[in-house]
Structures are given as structure tokens and as C-alpha cells.
Amino acid sequence: MENSTPTRSRLLEIIGLLAAVGFFVGIFFAWRTQMDSLVTQTQFDQLQQGQSRQDVERILGGPGTQQPPDADNSSAAHNTTLAWQNSSDSQIVCVFADDRLVSKKAMNLP
């Protein structure tokens, strides 16, 4: 009976070590995934007036989130405003007319 206690203890140590390694690997991949989906100043600088919506979405990594039209601009009702937002308060906002980029703005980009 005495021999099973050290073996059981060693097994629990190994399981604990594997659990800790798994936890840190999971944290690393979650962090990398979040970093990969960030919109950045470099991407913003690649955006040019007249680019198609498809080109902008390719540069920014996917479709943006529809935003309400600008109430101060009467022609805004015919435009589409999309935002690409990071988990923080940083974002890129693009305005399209006929699926062409007409304006862009950025806030707090990494």
C-alpha cells in the first residue's frame, strides 16, 4: 500500500504540470488571435479615397459594422458608414458612396 501513494502523488504532479502548460498555451493563442484581428495605423494608411468597399474590407480583414448615418450631413442618407473596432476604444470608420470610399477616420490606433 505504501508504494501506491508516491506513484499517485507523482501522477498528480504530472497532471498539474500538464494543466498549467495547457492553460498558458491557451492564453497565448487567445492573445495572438486578438492581436491578429486588430485594425492598425498601417492598415489605415493603406486606405485611399475611391477604393472599392471590397478592397477596404480586404485591407481591414473583413466586413465592418454598419453605423447610423451622420445626422449633420444631408447627403449621408445615401452613404454607408462602416466601422472596424478593436476591443479597446480604437477604431477605423469609413464612409462609402456607391461602394467607393469617400472618407475615413481613425481613433487611437495601435
PDB file of all heavy atoms in Angstrom, residues 46-67 78-84 93-103:
ATOM      1  N   GLN A  46      -3.143  52.538 -45.669  1.00  0.00           N
ATOM      2  CA  GLN A  46      -3.313  51.897 -46.979  1.00  0.00           C
ATOM      3  C   GLN A  46      -4.635  52.274 -47.649  1.00  0.00           C
ATOM      4  O   GLN A  46      -4.809  52.061 -48.842  1.00  0.00           O
ATOM      5  CB  GLN A  46      -3.248  50.380 -46.840  1.00  0.00           C
ATOM      6  CG  GLN A  46      -1.898  49.854 -46.432  1.00  0.00           C
ATOM      7  CD  GLN A  46      -1.925  48.349 -46.192  1.00  0.00           C
ATOM      8  OE1 GLN A  46      -2.798  47.639 -46.666  1.00  0.00           O
ATOM      9  NE2 GLN A  46      -0.953  47.867 -45.436  1.00  0.00           N
ATOM     10  N   LEU A  47      -5.567  52.827 -46.879  1.00  0.00           N
ATOM     11  CA  LEU A  47      -6.880  53.171 -47.419  1.00  0.00           C
ATOM     12  C   LEU A  47      -6.798  54.472 -48.206  1.00  0.00           C
ATOM     13  O   LEU A  47      -6.247  55.465 -47.727  1.00  0.00           O
ATOM     14  CB  LEU A  47      -7.902  53.304 -46.290  1.00  0.00           C
ATOM     15  CG  LEU A  47      -8.085  52.084 -45.390  1.00  0.00           C
ATOM     16  CD1 LEU A  47      -9.072  52.395 -44.276  1.00  0.00           C
ATOM     17  CD2 LEU A  47      -8.532  50.875 -46.198  1.00  0.00           C
ATOM     18  N   GLN A  48      -7.367  54.461 -49.410  1.00  0.00           N
ATOM     19  CA  GLN A  48      -7.353  55.634 -50.284  1.00  0.00           C
ATOM     20  C   GLN A  48      -8.764  55.922 -50.781  1.00  0.00           C
ATOM     21  O   GLN A  48      -9.534  54.988 -51.058  1.00  0.00           O
ATOM     22  CB  GLN A  48      -6.437  55.393 -51.495  1.00  0.00           C
ATOM     23  CG  GLN A  48      -5.006  55.041 -51.143  1.00  0.00           C
ATOM     24  CD  GLN A  48      -4.283  56.173 -50.437  1.00  0.00           C
ATOM     25  OE1 GLN A  48      -4.466  57.332 -50.784  1.00  0.00           O
ATOM     26  NE2 GLN A  48      -3.472  55.836 -49.444  1.00  0.00           N
ATOM     27  N   GLN A  49      -9.092  57.209 -50.906  1.00  0.00           N
ATOM     28  CA  GLN A  49     -10.388  57.579 -51.465  1.00  0.00           C
ATOM     29  C   GLN A  49     -10.553  56.931 -52.826  1.00  0.00           C
ATOM     30  O   GLN A  49      -9.604  56.841 -53.602  1.00  0.00           O
ATOM     31  CB  GLN A  49     -10.518  59.091 -51.592  1.00  0.00           C
ATOM     32  CG  GLN A  49     -10.877  59.768 -50.311  1.00  0.00           C
ATOM     33  CD  GLN A  49     -11.253  61.227 -50.535  1.00  0.00           C
ATOM     34  OE1 GLN A  49     -10.884  61.847 -51.503  1.00  0.00           O
ATOM     35  NE2 GLN A  49     -11.990  61.769 -49.589  1.00  0.00           N
ATOM     36  N   GLY A  50     -11.761  56.458 -53.101  1.00  0.00           N
ATOM     37  CA  GLY A  50     -12.068  55.830 -54.371  1.00  0.00           C
ATOM     38  C   GLY A  50     -11.917  54.316 -54.360  1.00  0.00           C
ATOM     39  O   GLY A  50     -12.377  53.650 -55.291  1.00  0.00           O
ATOM     40  N   GLN A  51     -11.282  53.769 -53.322  1.00  0.00           N
ATOM     41  CA  GLN A  51     -11.158  52.311 -53.254  1.00  0.00           C
ATOM     42  C   GLN A  51     -12.540  51.689 -53.099  1.00  0.00           C
ATOM     43  O   GLN A  51     -13.433  52.268 -52.478  1.00  0.00           O
ATOM     44  CB  GLN A  51     -10.286  51.882 -52.075  1.00  0.00           C
ATOM     45  CG  GLN A  51      -8.812  52.063 -52.311  1.00  0.00           C
ATOM     46  CD  GLN A  51      -7.993  51.668 -51.096  1.00  0.00           C
ATOM     47  OE1 GLN A  51      -8.376  51.938 -49.962  1.00  0.00           O
ATOM     48  NE2 GLN A  51      -6.849  51.046 -51.340  1.00  0.00           N
ATOM     49  N   SER A  52     -12.684  50.486 -53.634  1.00  0.00           N
ATOM     50  CA  SER A  52     -13.959  49.784 -53.502  1.00  0.00           C
ATOM     51  C   SER A  52     -14.132  49.289 -52.063  1.00  0.00           C
ATOM     52  O   SER A  52     -13.159  49.112 -51.333  1.00  0.00           O
ATOM     53  CB  SER A  52     -14.017  48.587 -54.458  1.00  0.00           C
ATOM     54  OG  SER A  52     -13.136  47.574 -54.035  1.00  0.00           O
ATOM     55  N   ARG A  53     -15.369  49.065 -51.703  1.00  0.00           N
ATOM     56  CA  ARG A  53     -15.670  48.524 -50.377  1.00  0.00           C
ATOM     57  C   ARG A  53     -14.983  47.175 -50.202  1.00  0.00           C
ATOM     58  O   ARG A  53     -14.453  46.867 -49.135  1.00  0.00           O
ATOM     59  CB  ARG A  53     -17.184  48.415 -50.206  1.00  0.00           C
ATOM     60  CG  ARG A  53     -17.622  47.894 -48.876  1.00  0.00           C
ATOM     61  CD  ARG A  53     -19.129  48.007 -48.755  1.00  0.00           C
ATOM     62  NE  ARG A  53     -19.623  47.253 -47.640  1.00  0.00           N
ATOM     63  CZ  ARG A  53     -20.880  47.253 -47.246  1.00  0.00           C
ATOM     64  NH1 ARG A  53     -21.780  47.975 -47.881  1.00  0.00           N
ATOM     65  NH2 ARG A  53     -21.269  46.533 -46.222  1.00  0.00           N
ATOM     66  N   GLN A  54     -14.946  46.376 -51.254  1.00  0.00           N
ATOM     67  CA  GLN A  54     -14.298  45.064 -51.206  1.00  0.00           C
ATOM     68  C   GLN A  54     -12.799  45.214 -50.919  1.00  0.00           C
ATOM     69  O   GLN A  54     -12.241  44.459 -50.128  1.00  0.00           O
ATOM     70  CB  GLN A  54     -14.534  44.337 -52.526  1.00  0.00           C
ATOM     71  CG  GLN A  54     -13.992  42.927 -52.548  1.00  0.00           C
ATOM     72  CD  GLN A  54     -14.283  42.240 -53.871  1.00  0.00           C
ATOM     73  OE1 GLN A  54     -14.467  42.885 -54.901  1.00  0.00           O
ATOM     74  NE2 GLN A  54     -14.312  40.918 -53.841  1.00  0.00           N
ATOM     75  N   ASP A  55     -12.149  46.191 -51.543  1.00  0.00           N
ATOM     76  CA  ASP A  55     -10.723  46.422 -51.291  1.00  0.00           C
ATOM     77  C   ASP A  55     -10.484  46.846 -49.844  1.00  0.00           C
ATOM     78  O   ASP A  55      -9.545  46.396 -49.196  1.00  0.00           O
ATOM     79  CB  ASP A  55     -10.153  47.482 -52.236  1.00  0.00           C
ATOM     80  CG  ASP A  55      -9.993  46.966 -53.653  1.00  0.00           C
ATOM     81  OD1 ASP A  55      -9.929  45.735 -53.841  1.00  0.00           O
ATOM     82  OD2 ASP A  55      -9.934  47.810 -54.574  1.00  0.00           O
ATOM     83  N   VAL A  56     -11.336  47.723 -49.335  1.00  0.00           N
ATOM     84  CA  VAL A  56     -11.210  48.182 -47.939  1.00  0.00           C
ATOM     85  C   VAL A  56     -11.391  47.011 -46.981  1.00  0.00           C
ATOM     86  O   VAL A  56     -10.618  46.841 -46.037  1.00  0.00           O
ATOM     87  CB  VAL A  56     -12.212  49.322 -47.646  1.00  0.00           C
ATOM     88  CG1 VAL A  56     -12.256  49.647 -46.160  1.00  0.00           C
ATOM     89  CG2 VAL A  56     -11.863  50.563 -48.469  1.00  0.00           C
ATOM     90  N   GLU A  57     -12.387  46.175 -47.230  1.00  0.00           N
ATOM     91  CA  GLU A  57     -12.628  45.010 -46.366  1.00  0.00           C
ATOM     92  C   GLU A  57     -11.455  44.037 -46.421  1.00  0.00           C
ATOM     93  O   GLU A  57     -11.096  43.440 -45.408  1.00  0.00           O
ATOM     94  CB  GLU A  57     -13.925  44.314 -46.776  1.00  0.00           C
ATOM     95  CG  GLU A  57     -15.151  45.121 -46.407  1.00  0.00           C
ATOM     96  CD  GLU A  57     -16.453  44.514 -46.884  1.00  0.00           C
ATOM     97  OE1 GLU A  57     -16.428  43.599 -47.746  1.00  0.00           O
ATOM     98  OE2 GLU A  57     -17.510  44.956 -46.395  1.00  0.00           O
ATOM     99  N   ARG A  58     -10.828  43.897 -47.570  1.00  0.00           N
ATOM    100  CA  ARG A  58      -9.655  43.027 -47.682  1.00  0.00           C
ATOM    101  C   ARG A  58      -8.501  43.597 -46.849  1.00  0.00           C
ATOM    102  O   ARG A  58      -7.844  42.864 -46.110  1.00  0.00           O
ATOM    103  CB  ARG A  58      -9.234  42.894 -49.148  1.00  0.00           C
ATOM    104  CG  ARG A  58      -8.039  41.972 -49.361  1.00  0.00           C
ATOM    105  CD  ARG A  58      -7.598  41.945 -50.821  1.00  0.00           C
ATOM    106  NE  ARG A  58      -7.484  43.246 -51.450  1.00  0.00           N
ATOM    107  CZ  ARG A  58      -6.470  44.111 -51.243  1.00  0.00           C
ATOM    108  NH1 ARG A  58      -5.493  43.799 -50.430  1.00  0.00           N
ATOM    109  NH2 ARG A  58      -6.444  45.269 -51.867  1.00  0.00           N
ATOM    110  N   ILE A  59      -8.280  44.885 -46.921  1.00  0.00           N
ATOM    111  CA  ILE A  59      -7.196  45.523 -46.160  1.00  0.00           C
ATOM    112  C   ILE A  59      -7.451  45.414 -44.660  1.00  0.00           C
ATOM    113  O   ILE A  59      -6.540  45.141 -43.876  1.00  0.00           O
ATOM    114  CB  ILE A  59      -7.030  46.998 -46.581  1.00  0.00           C
ATOM    115  CG1 ILE A  59      -6.481  47.079 -48.006  1.00  0.00           C
ATOM    116  CG2 ILE A  59      -6.121  47.750 -45.610  1.00  0.00           C
ATOM    117  CD1 ILE A  59      -6.551  48.466 -48.623  1.00  0.00           C
ATOM    118  N   LEU A  60      -8.699  45.611 -44.254  1.00  0.00           N
ATOM    119  CA  LEU A  60      -9.024  45.637 -42.820  1.00  0.00           C
ATOM    120  C   LEU A  60      -9.402  44.269 -42.253  1.00  0.00           C
ATOM    121  O   LEU A  60      -9.702  44.151 -41.072  1.00  0.00           O
ATOM    122  CB  LEU A  60     -10.140  46.649 -42.562  1.00  0.00           C
ATOM    123  CG  LEU A  60      -9.770  48.092 -42.905  1.00  0.00           C
ATOM    124  CD1 LEU A  60     -10.953  49.022 -42.649  1.00  0.00           C
ATOM    125  CD2 LEU A  60      -8.550  48.553 -42.135  1.00  0.00           C
ATOM    126  N   GLY A  61      -9.380  43.239 -43.067  1.00  0.00           N
ATOM    127  CA  GLY A  61      -9.558  41.884 -42.558  1.00  0.00           C
ATOM    128  C   GLY A  61     -10.976  41.385 -42.474  1.00  0.00           C
ATOM    129  O   GLY A  61     -11.243  40.398 -41.790  1.00  0.00           O
ATOM    130  N   GLY A  62     -11.910  42.028 -43.141  1.00  0.00           N
ATOM    131  CA  GLY A  62     -13.286  41.547 -43.139  1.00  0.00           C
ATOM    132  C   GLY A  62     -14.273  42.695 -43.143  1.00  0.00           C
ATOM    133  O   GLY A  62     -13.888  43.870 -43.162  1.00  0.00           O
ATOM    134  N   PRO A  63     -15.555  42.368 -43.138  1.00  0.00           N
ATOM    135  CA  PRO A  63     -16.578  43.412 -43.188  1.00  0.00           C
ATOM    136  C   PRO A  63     -16.640  44.211 -41.890  1.00  0.00           C
ATOM    137  O   PRO A  63     -16.379  43.687 -40.815  1.00  0.00           O
ATOM    138  CB  PRO A  63     -17.879  42.651 -43.427  1.00  0.00           C
ATOM    139  CG  PRO A  63     -17.596  41.265 -42.984  1.00  0.00           C
ATOM    140  CD  PRO A  63     -16.123  41.032 -43.130  1.00  0.00           C
ATOM    141  N   GLY A  64     -16.982  45.483 -42.026  1.00  0.00           N
ATOM    142  CA  GLY A  64     -17.149  46.339 -40.857  1.00  0.00           C
ATOM    143  C   GLY A  64     -18.565  46.245 -40.318  1.00  0.00           C
ATOM    144  O   GLY A  64     -19.423  45.562 -40.871  1.00  0.00           O
ATOM    145  N   THR A  65     -18.792  46.970 -39.251  1.00  0.00           N
ATOM    146  CA  THR A  65     -20.110  47.019 -38.612  1.00  0.00           C
ATOM    147  C   THR A  65     -20.840  48.277 -39.081  1.00  0.00           C
ATOM    148  O   THR A  65     -20.302  49.378 -39.003  1.00  0.00           O
ATOM    149  CB  THR A  65     -19.958  47.060 -37.081  1.00  0.00           C
ATOM    150  OG1 THR A  65     -19.193  45.916 -36.675  1.00  0.00           O
ATOM    151  CG2 THR A  65     -21.300  47.052 -36.393  1.00  0.00           C
ATOM    152  N   GLN A  66     -22.070  48.086 -39.568  1.00  0.00           N
ATOM    153  CA  GLN A  66     -22.874  49.212 -40.067  1.00  0.00           C
ATOM    154  C   GLN A  66     -23.104  50.235 -38.958  1.00  0.00           C
ATOM    155  O   GLN A  66     -23.436  49.866 -37.827  1.00  0.00           O
ATOM    156  CB  GLN A  66     -24.213  48.693 -40.578  1.00  0.00           C
ATOM    157  CG  GLN A  66     -25.091  49.747 -41.188  1.00  0.00           C
ATOM    158  CD  GLN A  66     -24.881  49.876 -42.676  1.00  0.00           C
ATOM    159  OE1 GLN A  66     -24.537  48.907 -43.336  1.00  0.00           O
ATOM    160  NE2 GLN A  66     -25.086  51.049 -43.206  1.00  0.00           N
ATOM    161  N   GLN A  67     -22.931  51.502 -39.296  1.00  0.00           N
ATOM    162  CA  GLN A  67     -23.139  52.601 -38.359  1.00  0.00           C
ATOM    163  C   GLN A  67     -24.318  53.445 -38.836  1.00  0.00           C
ATOM    164  O   GLN A  67     -24.607  53.498 -40.037  1.00  0.00           O
ATOM    165  CB  GLN A  67     -21.886  53.481 -38.280  1.00  0.00           C
ATOM    166  CG  GLN A  67     -20.627  52.723 -37.876  1.00  0.00           C
ATOM    167  CD  GLN A  67     -20.733  52.156 -36.471  1.00  0.00           C
ATOM    168  OE1 GLN A  67     -20.885  52.888 -35.515  1.00  0.00           O
ATOM    169  NE2 GLN A  67     -20.645  50.839 -36.364  1.00  0.00           N
ATOM    170  N   HIS A  78     -27.544  58.702 -48.229  1.00  0.00           N
ATOM    171  CA  HIS A  78     -27.235  57.879 -49.397  1.00  0.00           C
ATOM    172  C   HIS A  78     -25.895  57.162 -49.248  1.00  0.00           C
ATOM    173  O   HIS A  78     -25.506  56.415 -50.129  1.00  0.00           O
ATOM    174  CB  HIS A  78     -27.239  58.742 -50.656  1.00  0.00           C
ATOM    175  CG  HIS A  78     -28.537  59.443 -50.870  1.00  0.00           C
ATOM    176  ND1 HIS A  78     -29.691  58.774 -51.222  1.00  0.00           N
ATOM    177  CD2 HIS A  78     -28.879  60.749 -50.752  1.00  0.00           C
ATOM    178  CE1 HIS A  78     -30.683  59.637 -51.320  1.00  0.00           C
ATOM    179  NE2 HIS A  78     -30.226  60.836 -51.041  1.00  0.00           N
ATOM    180  N   ASN A  79     -25.213  57.419 -48.152  1.00  0.00           N
ATOM    181  CA  ASN A  79     -23.910  56.817 -47.904  1.00  0.00           C
ATOM    182  C   ASN A  79     -24.035  55.638 -46.948  1.00  0.00           C
ATOM    183  O   ASN A  79     -25.011  55.519 -46.217  1.00  0.00           O
ATOM    184  CB  ASN A  79     -22.948  57.832 -47.305  1.00  0.00           C
ATOM    185  CG  ASN A  79     -22.622  58.957 -48.256  1.00  0.00           C
ATOM    186  OD1 ASN A  79     -22.834  58.848 -49.459  1.00  0.00           O
ATOM    187  ND2 ASN A  79     -22.121  60.046 -47.731  1.00  0.00           N
ATOM    188  N   THR A  80     -23.009  54.800 -46.944  1.00  0.00           N
ATOM    189  CA  THR A  80     -22.924  53.695 -45.997  1.00  0.00           C
ATOM    190  C   THR A  80     -21.713  53.945 -45.119  1.00  0.00           C
ATOM    191  O   THR A  80     -20.616  54.181 -45.622  1.00  0.00           O
ATOM    192  CB  THR A  80     -22.737  52.357 -46.741  1.00  0.00           C
ATOM    193  OG1 THR A  80     -23.838  52.164 -47.626  1.00  0.00           O
ATOM    194  CG2 THR A  80     -22.650  51.200 -45.771  1.00  0.00           C
ATOM    195  N   THR A  81     -21.923  53.920 -43.803  1.00  0.00           N
ATOM    196  CA  THR A  81     -20.830  54.110 -42.853  1.00  0.00           C
ATOM    197  C   THR A  81     -20.565  52.797 -42.144  1.00  0.00           C
ATOM    198  O   THR A  81     -21.480  52.186 -41.582  1.00  0.00           O
ATOM    199  CB  THR A  81     -21.178  55.205 -41.816  1.00  0.00           C
ATOM    200  OG1 THR A  81     -21.486  56.407 -42.520  1.00  0.00           O
ATOM    201  CG2 THR A  81     -20.027  55.447 -40.865  1.00  0.00           C
ATOM    202  N   LEU A  82     -19.300  52.362 -42.193  1.00  0.00           N
ATOM    203  CA  LEU A  82     -18.894  51.111 -41.554  1.00  0.00           C
ATOM    204  C   LEU A  82     -17.753  51.391 -40.593  1.00  0.00           C
ATOM    205  O   LEU A  82     -16.922  52.268 -40.838  1.00  0.00           O
ATOM    206  CB  LEU A  82     -18.425  50.094 -42.599  1.00  0.00           C
ATOM    207  CG  LEU A  82     -19.443  49.667 -43.647  1.00  0.00           C
ATOM    208  CD1 LEU A  82     -18.788  48.760 -44.682  1.00  0.00           C
ATOM    209  CD2 LEU A  82     -20.613  48.964 -42.994  1.00  0.00           C
ATOM    210  N   ALA A  83     -17.706  50.621 -39.501  1.00  0.00           N
ATOM    211  CA  ALA A  83     -16.640  50.776 -38.505  1.00  0.00           C
ATOM    212  C   ALA A  83     -15.975  49.426 -38.260  1.00  0.00           C
ATOM    213  O   ALA A  83     -16.628  48.388 -38.253  1.00  0.00           O
ATOM    214  CB  ALA A  83     -17.192  51.330 -37.200  1.00  0.00           C
ATOM    215  N   TRP A  84     -14.671  49.494 -38.059  1.00  0.00           N
ATOM    216  CA  TRP A  84     -13.856  48.341 -37.640  1.00  0.00           C
ATOM    217  C   TRP A  84     -13.273  48.735 -36.302  1.00  0.00           C
ATOM    218  O   TRP A  84     -12.458  49.663 -36.218  1.00  0.00           O
ATOM    219  CB  TRP A  84     -12.747  48.064 -38.651  1.00  0.00           C
ATOM    220  CG  TRP A  84     -13.247  47.474 -39.929  1.00  0.00           C
ATOM    221  CD1 TRP A  84     -13.243  46.159 -40.266  1.00  0.00           C
ATOM    222  CD2 TRP A  84     -13.821  48.155 -41.051  1.00  0.00           C
ATOM    223  NE1 TRP A  84     -13.774  45.986 -41.523  1.00  0.00           N
ATOM    224  CE2 TRP A  84     -14.137  47.195 -42.028  1.00  0.00           C
ATOM    225  CE3 TRP A  84     -14.110  49.498 -41.325  1.00  0.00           C
ATOM    226  CZ2 TRP A  84     -14.715  47.527 -43.246  1.00  0.00           C
ATOM    227  CZ3 TRP A  84     -14.681  49.825 -42.533  1.00  0.00           C
ATOM    228  CH2 TRP A  84     -14.980  48.840 -43.483  1.00  0.00           C
ATOM    229  N   VAL A  93     -13.276  54.225 -39.063  1.00  0.00           N
ATOM    230  CA  VAL A  93     -14.617  54.453 -39.590  1.00  0.00           C
ATOM    231  C   VAL A  93     -14.470  54.906 -41.041  1.00  0.00           C
ATOM    232  O   VAL A  93     -13.715  55.833 -41.330  1.00  0.00           O
ATOM    233  CB  VAL A  93     -15.382  55.514 -38.770  1.00  0.00           C
ATOM    234  CG1 VAL A  93     -16.743  55.793 -39.387  1.00  0.00           C
ATOM    235  CG2 VAL A  93     -15.528  55.074 -37.325  1.00  0.00           C
ATOM    236  N   CYS A  94     -15.196  54.243 -41.948  1.00  0.00           N
ATOM    237  CA  CYS A  94     -15.144  54.565 -43.368  1.00  0.00           C
ATOM    238  C   CYS A  94     -16.544  54.871 -43.872  1.00  0.00           C
ATOM    239  O   CYS A  94     -17.508  54.208 -43.492  1.00  0.00           O
ATOM    240  CB  CYS A  94     -14.583  53.392 -44.172  1.00  0.00           C
ATOM    241  SG  CYS A  94     -12.873  53.008 -43.782  1.00  0.00           S
ATOM    242  N   VAL A  95     -16.626  55.871 -44.754  1.00  0.00           N
ATOM    243  CA  VAL A  95     -17.893  56.232 -45.381  1.00  0.00           C
ATOM    244  C   VAL A  95     -17.780  55.908 -46.866  1.00  0.00           C
ATOM    245  O   VAL A  95     -16.800  56.277 -47.521  1.00  0.00           O
ATOM    246  CB  VAL A  95     -18.223  57.723 -45.170  1.00  0.00           C
ATOM    247  CG1 VAL A  95     -19.523  58.099 -45.876  1.00  0.00           C
ATOM    248  CG2 VAL A  95     -18.303  58.051 -43.686  1.00  0.00           C
ATOM    249  N   PHE A  96     -18.796  55.207 -47.381  1.00  0.00           N
ATOM    250  CA  PHE A  96     -18.825  54.783 -48.772  1.00  0.00           C
ATOM    251  C   PHE A  96     -20.025  55.406 -49.474  1.00  0.00           C
ATOM    252  O   PHE A  96     -21.111  55.502 -48.898  1.00  0.00           O
ATOM    253  CB  PHE A  96     -18.951  53.263 -48.872  1.00  0.00           C
ATOM    254  CG  PHE A  96     -17.801  52.515 -48.286  1.00  0.00           C
ATOM    255  CD1 PHE A  96     -17.782  52.170 -46.935  1.00  0.00           C
ATOM    256  CD2 PHE A  96     -16.722  52.156 -49.079  1.00  0.00           C
ATOM    257  CE1 PHE A  96     -16.718  51.486 -46.389  1.00  0.00           C
ATOM    258  CE2 PHE A  96     -15.648  51.471 -48.534  1.00  0.00           C
ATOM    259  CZ  PHE A  96     -15.643  51.133 -47.189  1.00  0.00           C
ATOM    260  N   ALA A  97     -19.830  55.810 -50.710  1.00  0.00           N
ATOM    261  CA  ALA A  97     -20.917  56.228 -51.599  1.00  0.00           C
ATOM    262  C   ALA A  97     -20.795  55.359 -52.842  1.00  0.00           C
ATOM    263  O   ALA A  97     -19.711  55.282 -53.441  1.00  0.00           O
ATOM    264  CB  ALA A  97     -20.810  57.702 -51.946  1.00  0.00           C
ATOM    265  N   ASP A  98     -21.867  54.689 -53.206  1.00  0.00           N
ATOM    266  CA  ASP A  98     -21.843  53.760 -54.343  1.00  0.00           C
ATOM    267  C   ASP A  98     -20.711  52.747 -54.206  1.00  0.00           C
ATOM    268  O   ASP A  98     -20.002  52.449 -55.178  1.00  0.00           O
ATOM    269  CB  ASP A  98     -21.719  54.525 -55.663  1.00  0.00           C
ATOM    270  CG  ASP A  98     -22.910  55.436 -55.908  1.00  0.00           C
ATOM    271  OD1 ASP A  98     -24.046  55.020 -55.582  1.00  0.00           O
ATOM    272  OD2 ASP A  98     -22.704  56.557 -56.405  1.00  0.00           O
ATOM    273  N   ASP A  99     -20.521  52.239 -52.991  1.00  0.00           N
ATOM    274  CA  ASP A  99     -19.491  51.240 -52.671  1.00  0.00           C
ATOM    275  C   ASP A  99     -18.068  51.704 -52.958  1.00  0.00           C
ATOM    276  O   ASP A  99     -17.175  50.896 -53.200  1.00  0.00           O
ATOM    277  CB  ASP A  99     -19.775  49.908 -53.367  1.00  0.00           C
ATOM    278  CG  ASP A  99     -20.789  49.075 -52.595  1.00  0.00           C
ATOM    279  OD1 ASP A  99     -20.987  49.346 -51.385  1.00  0.00           O
ATOM    280  OD2 ASP A  99     -21.379  48.152 -53.176  1.00  0.00           O
ATOM    281  N   ARG A 100     -17.828  53.004 -52.918  1.00  0.00           N
ATOM    282  CA  ARG A 100     -16.486  53.582 -53.058  1.00  0.00           C
ATOM    283  C   ARG A 100     -16.183  54.412 -51.821  1.00  0.00           C
ATOM    284  O   ARG A 100     -17.037  55.144 -51.316  1.00  0.00           O
ATOM    285  CB  ARG A 100     -16.384  54.481 -54.300  1.00  0.00           C
ATOM    286  CG  ARG A 100     -16.510  53.739 -55.597  1.00  0.00           C
ATOM    287  CD  ARG A 100     -15.269  52.951 -55.857  1.00  0.00           C
ATOM    288  NE  ARG A 100     -15.396  52.098 -57.029  1.00  0.00           N
ATOM    289  CZ  ARG A 100     -14.473  51.261 -57.409  1.00  0.00           C
ATOM    290  NH1 ARG A 100     -13.361  51.128 -56.735  1.00  0.00           N
ATOM    291  NH2 ARG A 100     -14.645  50.514 -58.476  1.00  0.00           N
ATOM    292  N   LEU A 101     -14.954  54.319 -51.323  1.00  0.00           N
ATOM    293  CA  LEU A 101     -14.540  55.037 -50.124  1.00  0.00           C
ATOM    294  C   LEU A 101     -14.498  56.536 -50.397  1.00  0.00           C
ATOM    295  O   LEU A 101     -13.814  56.988 -51.314  1.00  0.00           O
ATOM    296  CB  LEU A 101     -13.161  54.546 -49.673  1.00  0.00           C
ATOM    297  CG  LEU A 101     -12.593  55.166 -48.396  1.00  0.00           C
ATOM    298  CD1 LEU A 101     -13.474  54.842 -47.194  1.00  0.00           C
ATOM    299  CD2 LEU A 101     -11.169  54.676 -48.163  1.00  0.00           C
ATOM    300  N   VAL A 102     -15.272  57.303 -49.607  1.00  0.00           N
ATOM    301  CA  VAL A 102     -15.267  58.760 -49.765  1.00  0.00           C
ATOM    302  C   VAL A 102     -14.605  59.465 -48.588  1.00  0.00           C
ATOM    303  O   VAL A 102     -14.117  60.576 -48.736  1.00  0.00           O
ATOM    304  CB  VAL A 102     -16.689  59.329 -50.002  1.00  0.00           C
ATOM    305  CG1 VAL A 102     -17.221  58.868 -51.353  1.00  0.00           C
ATOM    306  CG2 VAL A 102     -17.643  58.961 -48.889  1.00  0.00           C
ATOM    307  N   SER A 103     -14.584  58.828 -47.421  1.00  0.00           N
ATOM    308  CA  SER A 103     -13.876  59.416 -46.285  1.00  0.00           C
ATOM    309  C   SER A 103     -13.523  58.334 -45.280  1.00  0.00           C
ATOM    310  O   SER A 103     -14.128  57.265 -45.257  1.00  0.00           O
ATOM    311  CB  SER A 103     -14.699  60.527 -45.620  1.00  0.00           C
ATOM    312  OG  SER A 103     -15.809  59.986 -44.941  1.00  0.00           O
TER     313      SER A 103
END
